[in-house]
Amino acid sequence: MSEKTPRGLGKGLAALLGEEAAKIDEFRKPVGYVNKEIAGSQPRREPTADVLRIPVDMVEANPFQPRMAFDQEALEELAASIRTLGLIQPITVRKVGENRYQIISGERRFKACRMAGMTMIPAYVREADDQGMLEMALVENIQRENLDPIETALCYQRLIDECRLTQDAMADRVGKKRSSVTNTIRLLKLPVKVQHDLKVGILSVGHAKVLLSVDDPKVQEELCDITIKDDLSVRALENLVRKYLRQAKPSVKKEQELPEEYSRMLSCLGRYFSNDISLRRSPGGKGSLTIRFDSDDEISRFLQAIENQEN
């Protein structure tokens, strides 16, 4: 991407986009798994590490699903996202009969896909009694050259979740540095919209790593849009993120240094009162002094000391 100088952030990142945001969404076509085998179309055993497109009518809920209630509004939002971007993370199922599959994980995604009107759903087929084969198949998948970054991250996550591998053990299996594995998995923390752009190749991994330095998902999406719209290089995006973080960082007031006589007064009062003594002073010399005491005895000792000095 060619480097361009980012404009000022102004009142918000979204203000930089205006009507251009709609043009960016034209690039965001739903992801698909069009070249994968459709489960049920052939009697042979399905590959456990590949993504298969399964008819939703062949999929049933897990009867042991601990989660009984799903937020309807959140489901509708997810369904709207799936209509626009597709299902980024496939569900995981197991085969329970001829042309029948049961959800292991992803029931919320499954419900949202049905709500979105999908007739086929991308899924991993898991054989619960064959963990070793699954591990080998996933490692083989990772070693392919044609996986996109999100597919690779999902394979790593499955090795952790389903094969119970640590990141160190996984790094040994796939021949990568542990830091590389960790950074790849972190891509799954990005908003779905950003993951989509990374998956379809309109955003690079370098840009995605820069976006991970921002905590707010909405800002991550807006920065992603700006990167695509202005064709920013990674370096230009880094500069824009640094500028945003400087503006977002709350200003810390430097504690005012008290004149020496105030410090002496606080030290003197501290001899008679066991609690904290608070003092506020403006640059012009005005202020307030608050003394907290535990008993009448503290007041008596303090009063006696003043009276003794007057005599």
Side-chain angles (χ1 to χ4, degrees):
M1 292 186 175
S2 60
E3 182 166 348
K4 297 182 181 179
T5 304
R7 291 172 286 172
L9 298 184
K11 294 183 179 179
L13 293 169
L16 296 180
L17 298 172
E19 296 178 357
E20 295 294 326
K23 296 180 182 179
I24 293 171
D25 285 337
E26 292 177 3
F27 291 98
R28 294 193 172 108
K29 304 301 181 183
V31 297
Y33 299 90
V34 294
N35 296 321
K36 304 296 184 181
E37 176 186 355
I38 298 176
S41 63
Q42 302 200 19
R44 72 173 187 268
R45 178 175 176 171
E46 296 92 344
T48 61
D50 282 342
V51 179
L52 306 180
R53 294 172 62 242
I54 301 178
V56 293
D57 293 338
M58 293 184 184
V59 181
E60 61 186 42
N62 188 338
F64 305 105
Q65 163 67 258
R67 185 177 182 182
M68 303 301 294
F70 294 86
D71 184 272
Q72 188 66 22
E73 184 177 350
L75 274 178
E76 289 173 356
E77 290 177 356
L78 180 56
S81 173
I82 289 171
R83 287 189 196 99
T84 304
L85 306 176
L87 184 64
I88 304 298
Q89 183 172 353
I91 66 171
T92 301
V93 299
R94 62 173 179 167
K95 193 165 187 176
V96 291
E98 185 64 28
N99 293 335
R100 298 303 302 168
Y101 298 85
Q102 191 176 83
I103 296 173
I104 294 176
S105 66
E107 186 161 345
R108 179 173 173 269
R109 278 168 278 152
F110 174 71
K111 287 179 179 293
C113 284
R114 296 199 73 161
M115 190 179 293
M118 292 177 61
T119 57
M120 307 287 288
I121 185 167
Y124 299 113
V125 178
R126 176 78 162 88
E127 296 196 17
D129 60 346
D130 206 347
Q131 181 171 315
M133 192 186 75
L134 172 64
E135 181 182 329
M136 287 188 293
L138 286 170
V139 171
E140 181 184 356
N141 256 17
I142 292 169
Q143 290 172 343
R144 295 176 184 171
E145 296 295 328
N146 60 342
L147 288 184
D148 65 62
I150 296 301
E151 286 176 326
T152 302
L154 288 172
C155 283
Y156 287 162
Q157 194 62 55
R158 289 189 73 197
L159 283 168
I160 291 173
D161 295 341
E162 299 182 44
C163 299
R164 297 179 177 84
L165 292 185
T166 64
Q167 289 194 14
D168 286 325
M170 183 165 52
D172 290 338
R173 295 282 203 288
V174 300
K176 303 283 186 181
K177 291 183 179 179
R178 187 185 185 280
S179 58
S180 174
V181 169
T182 301
N183 288 332
T184 300
I185 292 174
R186 288 181 66 221
L187 297 176
L188 299 177
K189 295 182 180 295
L190 290 166
V192 170
K193 182 188 287 186
V194 180
Q195 287 189 41
H196 170 275
D197 294 348
L198 187 57
K199 186 174 180 62
V200 299
I202 59 176
L203 190 77
S204 74
V205 174
H207 290 96
K209 288 179 179 178
V210 175
L211 294 178
L212 283 167
S213 62
V214 177
D215 294 330
D216 189 330
K218 288 294 184 186
V219 175
Q220 288 175 328
E221 290 181 357
E222 290 169 356
L223 286 167
C224 177
D225 285 347
I226 292 171
T227 300
I228 296 168
K229 172 180 173 288
D230 290 345
D231 194 24
L232 297 184
S233 68
V234 173
R235 178 66 60 84
L237 178 59
E238 286 175 344
N239 292 336
L240 187 59
V241 167
R242 277 195 292 269
K243 187 173 182 181
Y244 163 75
L245 292 176
R246 281 198 302 269
Q247 289 190 6
K249 187 177 180 181
S251 59
V252 179
K253 276 190 174 182
K254 187 178 179 181
E255 188 174 346
Q256 184 186 356
E257 187 175 347
L258 291 172
E260 183 183 351
E261 57 267 26
Y262 284 81
S263 299
R264 283 166 41 208
M265 177 186 67
L266 291 173
S267 177
C268 179
L269 291 173
R271 299 173 191 169
Y272 305 100
F273 300 97
S274 57
N275 286 330
D276 290 338
I277 302 167
S278 60
L279 172 66
R280 300 183 65 180
R281 175 185 179 276
S282 70
K286 295 182 179 181
S288 62
L289 178 68
T290 303
I291 300 174
R292 297 173 180 83
F293 53 90
D294 279 336
S295 65
D296 293 339
D297 291 338
E298 286 187 345
I299 297 295
S300 297
R301 286 196 301 270
F302 177 61
L303 183 58
Q304 185 177 2
I306 293 177
E307 290 174 341
N308 289 339
Q309 288 182 2
E310 289 178 349
N311 294 334

